[in-house]
């Protein structure tokens, strides 16, 4: 790949793969079918995508073999790689938590003293213990950490939890959170030394930001009685002042506005009560602020 293209490493096959590809698509990047390929060149943007195991991504970016990478904060912190976090991406959310046998109680973190904790994240766990001046034994397990208490290998575990089902299935329950994690875009520290790549990167980042803004927003349209305008404008959590348009019916107005996606169901009833009709809520592809 001896070209001037920006190189982005993403997970080849796993929980972050689909959402990372979706993000690139939202950025208008045309990524060809990547199955069984180690890298592909984006058709309409000067960028190559490398498909790697997530554990390898921080090191590739630290060394500048890849200019950028998408990886969970959990993996990044565990690897202790020296890279910049360019953007939090809002997906792949999970928590690294202490799991304890369901019949036990752990009232405060001092209860970890003297215990053996099995984890695939020994560095993060040990840092947490050091910061809190706790004395536990950490044992590193590469997979199926959740079965170690029942095998008598460990008292507690420290593992990623999202719904908690895996813990429950192993007769464990969640306790303290050690880390909250989401997917992040990481960047080679010296990327900006290369002017061309710096320019491509700033273009990509602007596209990612507009895509993320759009994902969190919806376009709201409705017709309202003219005399409800003031109240309805107060109800709508607009990002900017709503657009007000006149209609053929002189007693009615049309309102259009961009709102935070999660707010709609909170205001829907109030809008109806003020006489709003024909309410439409539309997805937005991009917002360029
Ligand atoms: O093959 P490769 O090394 O690339 O992939 P991987 O198997 O190491 O990682 P993968 O694909 O499982 O996860 C990639 C990233 O997704 C993680 O590093 C996290 O940042 C993020 N993520 C989000 C999760 C979860 N949610 C998650 N629930 N990663 C793993 N889990 C596992 C967890 O380890 C446990 O076994 O899911 C189980 C718990 O899930 P619940 O829903 O039962 O609580
Ligand atoms: Zn992995």
């Amino acid at each position: 790949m001896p070209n001037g293209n920006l190189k982005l490493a993403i997970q080849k096959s796993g929980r972050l793969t689909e959402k990372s590809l979706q993000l690139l698509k939202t950025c208008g990047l045309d990524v060809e079918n990547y199955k069984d390929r180690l890298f592909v060149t984006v058709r309409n943007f000067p960028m190559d995508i490398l498909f790697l195991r997530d554990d390898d991504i921080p090191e590739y970016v630290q060394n500048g073999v890849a200019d950028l990478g998408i990886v969970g904060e959990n993996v990044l912190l565990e690897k202790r790689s020296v890279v910049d976090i360019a953007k939090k991406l809002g997906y792949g959310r999970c928590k690294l938590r202490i799991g304890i046998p369901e019949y036990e109680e752990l009232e405060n973190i001092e209860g970890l003293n003297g215990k053996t904790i099995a984890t695939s994240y020994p560095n993060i766990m040990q840092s947490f213990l050091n910061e809190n001046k706790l004395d536990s034994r950490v044992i590193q397990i590469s997979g199926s950490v959740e079965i170690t208490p029942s095998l008598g290998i460990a008292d507690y575990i420290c593992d990623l939890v999202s719904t908690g089902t895996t813990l429950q299935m192993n007769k464990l329950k969640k306790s303290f959170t050690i880390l909250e994690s989401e997917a992040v875009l990481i960047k080679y520290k010296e990327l900006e030394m290369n002017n061309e790549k710096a320019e491509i990167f700033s273009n990509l980042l602007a596209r990612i930001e507009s895509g993320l803004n759009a994902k969190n927003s919806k376009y709201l349209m409705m017709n309202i009685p003219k005399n409800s305008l003031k109240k309805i404008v107060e109800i709508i959590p607009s990002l900017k002042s709503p657009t007000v348009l006149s209609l053929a019916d002189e007693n009615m107005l049309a309102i259009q506005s961009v709102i935070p996606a999660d707010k709609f169901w909170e205001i829907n009833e109030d809008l109806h009560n003020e006489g709003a009709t024909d309410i439409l809520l539309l997805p937005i592809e991009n917002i360029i602020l």
Side-chain angles (χ1 to χ4, degrees):
M1 287 180 282
N3 56 25
N5 285 357
L6 203 63
K7 289 169 183 56
L8 166 71
I10 67 171
Q11 191 184 24
K12 181 165 177 53
S13 165
R15 287 170 198 261
L16 301 183
T17 308
E18 200 180 307
K19 291 221 166 118
S20 300
L21 288 167
Q22 185 61 45
L23 176 71
L24 299 180
K25 204 168 154 198
T26 311
C27 293
L29 307 188
D30 185 1
V31 182
E32 65 181 287
N33 190 350
Y34 70 96
K35 289 267 178 277
D36 304 322
R37 310 262 309 257
L38 281 180
F39 85 91
V40 296
T41 298
V42 177
R43 284 205 188 96
N44 56 353
F45 195 74
M47 189 162 98
D48 297 326
I49 299 177
L50 285 74
F51 296 96
L52 302 172
R53 285 204 54 194
D54 66 347
D55 314 70
D56 297 332
I57 292 175
E59 201 180 329
Y60 269 66
V61 177
Q62 173 171 311
N63 299 336
V65 178
D67 303 296
L68 301 170
I70 295 179
V71 72
E73 286 172 294
N74 51 309
V75 174
L76 180 62
L77 286 176
E78 183 59 27
K79 298 290 173 192
R80 295 179 165 164
S81 300
V82 184
V83 298
D84 290 333
I85 294 185
K87 192 81 202 164
K88 293 197 172 212
L89 298 174
Y91 59 86
R93 285 183 199 276
C94 54
K95 290 181 179 174
L96 191 59
R97 300 185 77 138
I98 299 291
I100 66 171
E102 58 188 4
Y103 53 83
E104 279 193 40
E105 293 304 328
L106 185 59
E107 306 220 316
N108 49 44
I109 52 173
E110 280 69 34
L112 296 176
N113 274 322
K115 300 289 184 185
T116 301
I117 305 167
T119 184
S120 310
Y121 294 89
N123 288 331
I124 297 177
M125 187 66 234
Q126 194 59 57
S127 300
F128 178 85
L129 294 171
N130 295 349
E131 274 161 29
N132 291 286
K133 301 190 169 44
L134 299 169
D135 186 17
S136 317
R137 189 170 152 243
V138 177
I139 51 172
Q140 181 174 1
I141 303 277
S142 57
S144 302
V145 171
E146 60 280 354
I147 61 168
T148 53
S150 61
L151 295 177
I153 299 171
D155 300 306
Y156 300 153
I157 66 165
C158 166
D159 199 8
L160 292 180
V161 178
S162 91
T163 60
T165 317
T166 309
L167 287 183
Q168 273 172 19
M169 277 170 21
N170 289 279
K171 299 199 182 319
L172 298 171
K173 63 182 179 187
K174 54 194 177 203
S175 180
F176 302 108
T177 298
I178 306 292
L179 175 78
E180 295 199 17
S181 175
E182 66 185 89
V184 286
L185 178 71
I186 55 172
K187 180 173 79 65
Y188 174 44
K189 281 222 164 264
E190 291 176 21
L191 174 71
E192 269 86 8
M193 309 274 278
N194 179 325
N195 287 341
E196 271 174 39
K197 284 195 172 178
E199 206 171 303
I200 309 169
F201 168 64
S202 100
N203 184 324
L204 177 72
L205 192 61
R207 292 182 187 213
I208 289 177
E209 279 168 353
S210 98
L212 293 178
N213 286 336
K215 207 173 90 188
N216 296 329
S217 307
K218 296 263 188 214
Y219 201 71
L220 177 66
M221 300 165 77
M222 73 194 96
N223 294 339
I224 62 162
K226 212 172 203 169
N227 56 14
S228 298
L229 178 64
K230 194 164 174 285
K231 280 196 174 153
I232 286 195
V233 168
E234 278 167 17
I235 294 169
I236 299 174
S238 293
L239 295 184
K240 297 229 168 107
S241 181
T243 306
V244 182
L245 301 167
S246 48
L247 292 176
D249 179 344
E250 282 183 2
N251 298 318
M252 300 290 285
L253 294 168
I255 297 253
Q256 302 178 1
S257 178
V258 176
I259 62 163
D262 56 353
K263 290 279 186 250
F264 175 70
W265 293 107
E266 288 174 24
I267 61 165
N268 183 30
E269 202 179 322
D270 293 344
L271 293 174
H272 276 291
N273 291 342
E274 290 303 327
T277 56
D278 306 303
I279 299 175
L280 292 179
L281 191 66
L282 306 174
I284 302 172
E285 198 144 305
N286 275 286
I287 298 182
I288 292 106
L289 292 173

PDB file of all heavy atoms in Angstrom, residues 11 53-55 75, ligand 2:
ATOM      1  N   GLN A  11     -12.168  -3.292  13.159  1.00  0.00           N
ATOM      2  CA  GLN A  11     -12.231  -4.706  13.536  1.00  0.00           C
ATOM      3  C   GLN A  11     -12.707  -5.540  12.353  1.00  0.00           C
ATOM      4  O   GLN A  11     -13.680  -5.191  11.680  1.00  0.00           O
ATOM      5  CB  GLN A  11     -13.191  -4.866  14.727  1.00  0.00           C
ATOM      6  CG  GLN A  11     -13.114  -6.243  15.357  1.00  0.00           C
ATOM      7  CD  GLN A  11     -14.122  -6.441  16.468  1.00  0.00           C
ATOM      8  OE1 GLN A  11     -15.163  -5.778  16.522  1.00  0.00           O
ATOM      9  NE2 GLN A  11     -13.830  -7.377  17.359  1.00  0.00           N
ATOM     10  N   ARG A  53      -7.779  -7.806  13.998  1.00  0.00           N
ATOM     11  CA  ARG A  53      -8.358  -8.141  15.300  1.00  0.00           C
ATOM     12  C   ARG A  53      -8.313  -6.872  16.147  1.00  0.00           C
ATOM     13  O   ARG A  53      -7.351  -6.121  16.088  1.00  0.00           O
ATOM     14  CB  ARG A  53      -7.545  -9.239  15.969  1.00  0.00           C
ATOM     15  CG  ARG A  53      -7.808 -10.589  15.347  1.00  0.00           C
ATOM     16  CD  ARG A  53      -7.484 -11.683  16.324  1.00  0.00           C
ATOM     17  NE  ARG A  53      -8.203 -11.491  17.580  1.00  0.00           N
ATOM     18  CZ  ARG A  53      -7.912 -12.136  18.712  1.00  0.00           C
ATOM     19  NH1 ARG A  53      -6.923 -12.995  18.730  1.00  0.00           N
ATOM     20  NH2 ARG A  53      -8.605 -11.930  19.809  1.00  0.00           N
ATOM     21  N   ASP A  54      -9.343  -6.674  16.943  1.00  0.00           N
ATOM     22  CA  ASP A  54      -9.399  -5.405  17.688  1.00  0.00           C
ATOM     23  C   ASP A  54      -8.188  -5.206  18.606  1.00  0.00           C
ATOM     24  O   ASP A  54      -7.694  -4.100  18.766  1.00  0.00           O
ATOM     25  CB  ASP A  54     -10.729  -5.255  18.456  1.00  0.00           C
ATOM     26  CG  ASP A  54     -10.914  -6.256  19.568  1.00  0.00           C
ATOM     27  OD1 ASP A  54     -10.149  -7.245  19.642  1.00  0.00           O
ATOM     28  OD2 ASP A  54     -11.832  -6.048  20.391  1.00  0.00           O
ATOM     29  N   ASP A  55      -7.658  -6.320  19.127  1.00  0.00           N
ATOM     30  CA  ASP A  55      -6.524  -6.229  20.065  1.00  0.00           C
ATOM     31  C   ASP A  55      -5.262  -5.661  19.393  1.00  0.00           C
ATOM     32  O   ASP A  55      -4.382  -5.143  20.072  1.00  0.00           O
ATOM     33  CB  ASP A  55      -6.190  -7.616  20.619  1.00  0.00           C
ATOM     34  CG  ASP A  55      -7.430  -8.349  21.042  1.00  0.00           C
ATOM     35  OD1 ASP A  55      -8.213  -8.750  20.147  1.00  0.00           O
ATOM     36  OD2 ASP A  55      -7.653  -8.469  22.240  1.00  0.00           O
ATOM     37  N   VAL A  75     -10.142  -1.856  25.186  1.00  0.00           N
ATOM     38  CA  VAL A  75      -8.955  -2.459  24.555  1.00  0.00           C
ATOM     39  C   VAL A  75      -7.814  -1.442  24.553  1.00  0.00           C
ATOM     40  O   VAL A  75      -6.669  -1.758  24.873  1.00  0.00           O
ATOM     41  CB  VAL A  75      -9.280  -2.919  23.111  1.00  0.00           C
ATOM     42  CG1 VAL A  75      -8.022  -3.399  22.406  1.00  0.00           C
ATOM     43  CG2 VAL A  75     -10.333  -4.018  23.139  1.00  0.00           C
TER      44      VAL A  75
HETATM   45 ZN1  LIG B   2     -10.152  -9.060  20.681  1.00  0.00          ZN
END
